[in-house]
Amino acid sequence: MSKPQIIAFTTSYHPFIGGAEIAVQEVSRRLGADFEFVVLTARMRRDIARREKRPEARVIRLGFGAELDKWLLPLLGFFWFFLRRPNAILWGVDIGQGALTGALIKFFFRRHPFVLTIQYGGGPDELRRGRGGFIAAGLRFMLGRADSVTAISTHLAAVARQYGYKKDIAVIPNGVDAEQFAVGIPHSLSPTPHATTIITVSRLVHKNGIDILIDAVAEVKKSIPDIQCVIIGDGPERGNLERRAASDEIRDHVRFVGVIPYEQIPQYLHEADVFVRPSRSEGMGNVFVEALAAGLPIIGTPVGGIVDIIEDGKTGLFVRPDDSHDLAEKIIRLFNDPQLQQTIVENGQKMVKQRFEWNNIAVEYRAVFKEGPSPSPLLRKEDPLPPSILRKEEPPPLSPPWKGGVGEVDATQRIRLLIATPLYPPDIGGPATYTKILEEELPGDGVTVAVAKFDAVRWLPKIIRHIAYFFLVLWKGRRADIIFAQDPVSVGLPAYLAAKILGKIFLLKVVGDYAWEQWQISRKGQSMRRFINVEEFQKGQYDRITKLRRDIEHWIARRAKMVIVPSQYLKGMVLEWGTPEEKIKVIHNAFDLPEGLPPKEDARVRLDLSGHVVVSVGRLVPWKGFDVLISSIPDLIARFSDLRLVIIGSGPEEARLRALASSLGINDSVEFKGQIAHAETLMYLRAADVFVLNTGYEGLPHTILEAIAVGVPIATTPVGGNKEIITHNIHGLLFGYNDPAGLTEAIGRLLSDRALGARLANSAAELLERFSRKRMIEETAEFLRS
């Protein structure tokens, strides 16, 4: 029978060493007979292997080998889990991106137990306000997902209770390998053989108070002239600290060693006399335990988890925070009192054996993984918080959405809507036009609109851009009631994850099949000998990435609170994805002609157009059939020698289409305008004799509505939502997709029979009330309030 699997989520792992990494390593080493451990972490350096089999666990490092990887870890880890779906216990270690990854997975895959181990060394203000409040919000989110919580100190257990965790909490400290620290190898620390040596092991950051230690050394030197202070570690404060220690008075008495391998730390401790760290905040302070195990008396401040280690006068000495005079006095006292040193070391080493041996700690974790936490006798769920915790660390009130529930909209208040869109003007496409309309019109109906534009991250590499977009929506979504995504994958998945984390209502608009579109653009899609339409695509078997995209869009659509579609055709497609019918709302796209658009002849003059003008608008993608349209131009030129085709839009097919026009010798008759402003697009439509859309798939195209509004006759295909707008020979002419003869005939009829064109355009104009902007806005605003 296979062993249960535990996936440990930690922001970093070997060769990066810290309390969380050591805890994972030591616990997994000792519980290997009971569980199979996998460590999921950020890669962060290119010279580190993506996969590694270590004695304690299999290590999987995600990312690209850069510092950014730790920020990408939550989404990369989610995708990793989503693809593999292992049957495992989730163990989040530390308050960071690693544990957040485990909590995010737990949120969506609830049957997996999630154990959260809280390790954190920052102070209450940093926890409450750090990263713009996201550290506190992240902690609350993790606690809300946790089935079991452990903390490495009673201080952090109280913090967990303060941030909303209601169940029992097990206080399980980080440990120490007492044998490793009990045996030291002689190592020369200072040039003075018999110097009196203070040592500290610390990251050089403000919270660890090394500036206070340096100031204290200057005072100690007056009583103990041969004093030496050895500082092991590195950090952003190192330059400032080195300058502080560069005075003539103590220049030769303070030595910065920098970072050393963890296994060498016992050597340095054994050649020192006293360990000191005057921390301003501390989660636990594992290095104090290591110093006691090495036989050193210790001095620390009564903050955070240090109070679990130091009993003043018995297992160490307390010193007031930010008080170098008090620290100097305590150092001198220890050096002058060998009996006190011996008492502290003896009591401290007994405590280490009883409470901080890794073997005992591993037994406690085994119980948590199998049975859940036993309540700490120091902080049970029914116990009140310590007054000091309440006084110093009570966080500001947090609104209900952060708790992970789905918010409700008060119909009497303004609704705050965040639109997540893949396209935005001057981009061409339905989502761009639709988003702009909502942004302009909804504020008049009591809806405040903000927009998260995918274009802000499009310059980034693939995958990274979607992860960056997730953080963009997460940031902008804080003040929204509703997050409204304009597609189910590229912006839909990041927006949905952000909405769930924030506890916001998530709505989705589906204007097409994203997986089908991306497959059509891919080499595999283009290599098919025949066109695969959207309906056929739903049941086919394709490559792995296409299947993933299809699974994601179906998954997101089913989980949205509601799905808006612009046509009955798309409603049928979303139903086929497994979305309940009662969750699907049809609201037609709309377009109203803006004021100030000139008459046709004036538009031609402004654009320098003459002769017979055919206009087509759309993304230059395979299913839009621009190649067949261009190929039909020579036959049309034979009938209309002054014919000019204007193509508006950009996309992956542009280079191929330009080459096709060149090979046919019609460069002077085909003009590629690229991506232009929407007002200019309308000007070209106004100037056209025919608008043509040879498309193999449409949800309900804005471009057809725009063509109707400007009064240009339309020739298009009877696919998708087109059939819900255009009736053949009544509102326009329909022809078969990629049918050269039908396409040429339709365009030719409209160019040669102006009376037919006028009749069709006038008849189509009667549809505009059904697709009016006012009607769409009213329906959308009413829907949002519901």
Side-chain angles (χ1 to χ4, degrees):
M1 184 175 177
S2 61
K3 294 181 285 188
Q5 187 179 81
I6 294 175
I7 302 177
F9 297 90
T10 178
T11 305
S12 60
Y13 201 63
H14 289 275
F16 306 104
I17 297 294
E21 293 77 31
I22 294 170
V24 172
Q25 172 187 286
E26 298 300 329
V27 170
S28 56
R29 275 181 181 173
R30 288 163 174 79
L31 297 185
D34 301 282
F35 305 97
E36 175 195 352
F37 281 87
V38 175
V39 177
L40 197 74
T41 188
R43 189 178 175 204
M44 293 199 288
R45 270 191 2 215
R46 290 191 176 184
D47 61 335
I48 302 176
R50 295 178 185 274
R51 302 286 187 275
E52 182 183 3
K53 185 69 176 76
R54 293 178 57 85
E56 71 276 8
R58 179 162 53 96
V59 182
I60 298 170
R61 300 182 179 93
L62 302 178
F64 305 90
E67 187 72 15
L68 181 65
D69 291 345
K70 66 182 179 182
W71 298 105
L72 306 181
L73 184 59
L75 281 189
L76 291 178
F78 175 83
F79 283 125
W80 178 88
F81 195 93
F82 182 83
L83 291 172
R84 289 161 182 79
R85 310 286 179 91
N87 184 22
I89 297 169
L90 313 175
W91 180 24
V93 185
D94 206 352
I95 300 175
Q97 295 90 340
L100 181 61
T101 305
L104 188 63
I105 291 169
K106 169 66 178 182
F107 191 88
F108 294 102
F109 301 93
R110 298 187 179 184
R111 68 182 181 86
H112 296 271
F114 175 51
V115 178
L116 175 63
T117 292
I118 299 179
Q119 304 202 30
Y120 185 73
D125 287 341
E126 183 181 349
L127 179 58
R128 183 166 60 247
R129 299 189 179 92
R131 309 277 183 197
F134 273 112
I135 296 179
L139 173 59
R140 201 177 278 272
F141 177 75
M142 295 178 220
L143 291 169
R145 313 282 79 76
D147 299 291
S148 300
V149 169
T150 73
I152 61 172
S153 66
T154 54
H155 163 73
L156 288 176
V159 168
R161 181 79 69 246
Q162 172 203 11
Y163 276 78
Y165 192 72
K166 304 298 184 184
K167 304 176 188 175
D168 290 330
I169 300 171
V171 176
I172 306 177
N174 284 343
V176 62
D177 186 339
E179 291 184 4
Q180 177 185 4
F181 282 85
V183 179
I185 301 172
H187 183 88
S188 180
L189 291 176
S190 72
T192 308
H194 301 293
T196 304
T197 303
I198 302 166
I199 192 168
T200 190
V201 181
S202 171
R203 180 162 163 72
L204 304 186
V205 292
H206 177 73
K207 83 171 189 70
N208 286 332
I210 305 305
D211 54 327
I212 303 300
L213 173 58
I214 291 172
D215 291 347
V217 170
E219 294 192 42
V220 172
K221 179 178 173 292
K222 297 172 184 177
S223 301
I224 307 175
D226 65 345
I227 191 71
Q228 292 289 311
C229 179
V230 177
I231 300 173
I232 297 174
D234 206 345
E237 289 290 305
R238 180 166 178 171
N240 293 333
L241 296 172
E242 287 179 333
R243 286 189 289 273
R244 199 179 195 106
S247 69
D248 292 338
E249 188 178 4
I250 59 172
R251 178 183 302 145
D252 297 328
H253 296 267
V254 179
R255 179 183 173 200
F256 290 85
V257 177
V259 176
I260 63 172
Y262 180 72
E263 58 271 15
Q264 292 182 17
I265 289 177
Q267 304 171 16
Y268 283 79
L269 292 175
H270 271 264
E271 292 204 10
D273 299 289
V274 173
F275 177 89
V276 177
R277 189 153 94 181
S279 304
R280 294 179 170 98
S281 65
E282 197 72 62
M284 174 189 155
N286 208 55
V287 69
F288 290 95
V289 180
E290 293 168 349
L292 287 172
L296 285 184
I298 60 176
I299 300 175
T301 48
V303 299
I306 300 175
V307 298
D308 288 357
I309 300 169
I310 293 179
E311 185 178 354
D312 194 31
K314 293 185 178 180
T315 59
L317 291 182
F318 275 138
V319 60
R320 290 189 296 271
D322 286 311
D323 191 337
S324 60
H325 300 291
D326 189 35
L327 178 57
E329 289 179 5
K330 297 295 171 60
I331 293 172
I332 293 169
R333 176 185 170 191
L334 263 183
F335 280 128
N336 290 334
D337 191 343
Q339 182 59 48
L340 177 59
Q341 292 184 40
Q342 184 177 350
T343 298
I344 288 173
V345 169
E346 288 178 355
N347 290 334
Q349 291 190 325
K350 287 179 185 176
M351 178 184 67
V352 169
K353 282 193 172 184
Q354 291 171 357
R355 292 174 48 198
F356 296 100
E357 280 278 10
W358 277 118
N359 289 335
N360 297 333
I361 289 169
V363 170
E364 293 187 62
Y365 271 108
R366 179 194 288 122
V368 170
F369 293 140
K370 289 189 173 183
E371 303 164 10
S374 299
S376 166
L378 300 176
L379 190 69
R380 296 165 298 183
K381 65 182 179 181
E382 62 270 18
D383 290 338
L385 293 176
S388 61
I389 292 290
L390 288 173
R391 183 178 65 253
K392 295 180 181 179
E393 301 187 18
E394 186 173 8
L398 215 50
S399 59
W402 287 102
K403 297 179 181 178
V406 175
E408 296 296 335
V409 174
D410 183 349
T412 65
Q413 302 295 323
R414 287 190 70 86
I415 298 168
R416 299 171 298 175
L417 179 70
L418 176 65
I419 302 175
T421 180
L423 300 172
Y424 188 82
D427 295 331
I428 291 174
T433 304
Y434 180 73
T435 298
K436 189 64 175 174
I437 291 173
L438 295 188
E439 188 179 27
E440 292 174 349
E441 300 291 344
L442 280 177
D445 284 78
V447 180
T448 301
V449 179
V451 180
K453 306 166 190 174
F454 194 75
D455 191 57
V457 300
R458 202 185 303 277
W459 58 275
L460 293 168
K462 289 183 177 180
I463 300 179
I464 292 181
R465 69 180 67 156
H466 294 89
I467 295 170
Y469 188 73
F470 159 76
F471 285 108
L472 175 64
V473 177
L474 194 67
W475 179 255
K476 289 198 164 192
R478 295 171 304 147
R479 295 181 176 88
D481 300 307
I482 300 169
I483 296 177
F484 185 16
Q486 299 301 297
D487 80 35
V489 181
S490 65
V491 302
L493 178 59
Y496 172 66
L497 297 178
K500 295 301 286 183
I501 289 173
L502 295 171
K504 310 296 184 178
I505 293 173
F506 176 75
L507 303 181
L508 175 67
K509 184 168 185 181
V510 174
V511 297
D513 189 323
Y514 178 86
W516 175 84
E517 292 177 5
Q518 295 302 308
W519 177 76
Q520 285 285 352
I521 294 171
S522 70
R523 291 181 180 178
K524 292 182 180 179
Q526 294 186 42
S527 66
M528 294 292 291
R529 293 185 178 180
R530 66 184 183 84
F531 176 71
I532 303 294
N533 61 33
V534 175
E535 292 80 2
E536 188 177 353
F537 174 80
Q538 305 304 316
K539 299 178 175 63
Q541 297 297 317
Y542 303 96
D543 58 282
R544 186 174 178 181
I545 189 66
T546 299
K547 182 180 183 301
L548 174 62
R549 288 181 180 130
R550 191 167 61 180
D551 288 347
I552 289 173
E553 66 183 357
H554 296 185
W555 191 72
I556 294 295
R558 290 195 298 267
R559 281 158 179 77
K561 180 113 175 179
M562 291 290 290
V563 179
I564 293 178
V565 292
S567 66
Q568 293 294 332
Y569 165 76
L570 285 171
K571 178 179 179 180
M573 185 181 75
V574 176
L575 278 171
E576 197 168 335
W577 291 357
T579 306
E581 184 172 8
E582 62 271 15
K583 289 177 63 173
I584 306 172
K585 172 73 173 176
V586 178
I587 300 179
H588 292 300
N589 288 340
F591 179 76
D592 285 344
L593 191 65
E595 295 180 2
L597 199 65
K600 177 176 179 178
E601 292 307 320
D602 290 349
R604 283 181 165 237
V605 171
R606 294 188 192 184
L607 297 172
D608 193 24
L609 292 174
S610 60
H612 294 83
V613 178
V614 177
V615 172
S616 189
V617 181
R619 288 184 63 217
L620 305 187
V621 289
W623 63 92
K624 293 289 186 181
F626 284 105
D627 51 351
V628 174
L629 173 59
I630 292 170
S631 298
S632 71
I633 295 303
D635 290 337
L636 288 166
I637 290 175
R639 295 177 58 190
F640 309 97
S641 59
D642 59 354
L643 184 137
R644 189 170 181 181
L645 171 64
V646 178
I647 296 176
I648 299 172
S650 61
E653 292 280 285
E654 184 169 350
R656 187 176 74 85
L657 295 173
R658 287 180 179 272
L660 174 61
S662 180
S663 69
L664 294 172
I666 56 173
N667 281 336
D668 293 339
S669 300
V670 179
E671 184 176 359
F672 291 88
K673 298 302 297 181
Q675 188 168 290
I676 62 177
H678 188 238
E680 191 176 357
T681 299
L682 294 178
M683 188 78 75
Y684 273 99
L685 287 172
R686 175 73 100 183
D689 295 302
V690 175
F691 170 73
V692 61
L693 191 62
N694 175 38
T695 178
Y697 166 73
E698 291 294 337
L700 193 131
H702 274 99
T703 51
I704 287 182
L705 298 179
E706 292 168 355
I708 291 173
V710 300
V712 59
I714 295 167
T716 189
T717 52
V719 299
N722 289 0
K723 295 179 292 185
E724 296 177 37
I725 307 175
I726 303 298
T727 303
H728 180 60
N729 216 29
I730 296 177
H731 308 114
L733 298 182
L734 299 177
F735 58 88
Y737 171 61
N738 275 350
D739 175 7
L743 171 62
T744 304
E745 180 186 357
I747 295 174
R749 281 185 65 192
L750 292 174
L751 290 176
S752 60
D753 190 345
R754 297 301 177 95
L756 171 65
R759 176 177 64 81
L760 296 175
N762 291 333
S763 179
E766 297 174 2
L767 300 172
L768 288 179
E769 184 180 352
R770 175 180 159 203
F771 298 100
S772 71
R773 179 185 290 212
K774 180 183 178 187
R775 181 170 180 175
M776 185 197 76
I777 291 297
E778 288 176 349
E779 288 185 21
T780 303
E782 182 180 352
F783 170 75
L784 291 175
R785 290 193 184 90
S786 70

